[in-house]
Amino acid sequence: MKTHPQADILRAIADGEDIEAFRREEWFGITRMTALRYIYDGIVPLRIKPKVISINGIEVPEPMREEPEFNTEYWVADPVAAGGAVDFTWQNVAADERWLSLGICHLTKEAAAIHVNALLSFTRKTA
């Protein structure tokens, strides 16, 4: 049986998760009924609202909590790396598992960089 292209969104609606739509160059929250209408119309891009954590008052995309599929590219939040992130490919090795257990793995470079920025906010000098 073929899966509906918005199956993940439909499951998230049923589970009570927050849904966002993309219009006018930004993501914004919508009601579940609006999400269903947008799914029916098929015009407006939708996503499940990304989960965030707060570090020193800064919203950071939630780090990976589970092992991704083998050969998945991921980024480690690294304050000494250029841009705050280092890319790796998941190989189920000890280093992958260690970084995952530390809560510093992200699926995007941008998320890892935001994480580093939040961590460094504790120790930056303020004017």
Side-chain angles (χ1 to χ4, degrees):
M1 183 165 106
K2 189 174 181 179
T3 304
H4 188 281
Q6 295 285 351
D8 291 341
I9 300 292
L10 290 165
R11 277 191 285 283
I13 291 169
D15 292 342
E17 293 188 53
D18 293 327
I19 306 298
E20 294 182 328
F22 190 76
R23 297 196 69 179
R24 298 183 186 97
E25 305 301 318
E26 69 177 309
W27 290 100
F28 62 93
I30 57 174
T31 67
R32 287 167 187 72
M33 289 304 296
T34 300
L36 291 171
R37 189 171 68 246
Y38 286 167
I39 289 170
Y40 179 78
D41 293 342
I43 298 170
V44 178
L46 301 175
R47 71 176 182 186
I48 301 166
K49 182 179 181 182
K51 292 177 175 53
V52 296
I53 61 172
S54 179
I55 299 176
N56 203 22
I58 299 170
E59 283 193 350
V60 174
E62 184 178 51
M64 295 164 47
R65 301 289 187 202
E66 298 177 359
E67 293 182 6
E69 290 185 25
F70 191 79
N71 280 337
T72 298
E73 182 180 34
Y74 72 98
W75 298 83
V76 171
D78 182 351
V80 298
V86 179
D87 67 320
F88 292 93
T89 301
W90 189 268
Q91 299 293 308
N92 291 329
V93 296
D96 293 332
E97 293 169 7
R98 176 73 175 139
W99 293 324
L100 181 68
S101 73
L102 291 172
I104 58 173
C105 297
H106 293 271
L107 291 175
T108 68
K109 181 179 183 178
E110 295 76 21
I114 292 168
H115 193 149
V116 165
N117 184 54
L119 292 173
L120 293 176
S121 71
F122 285 102
T123 56
R124 280 197 188 105
K125 293 181 181 179
T126 56

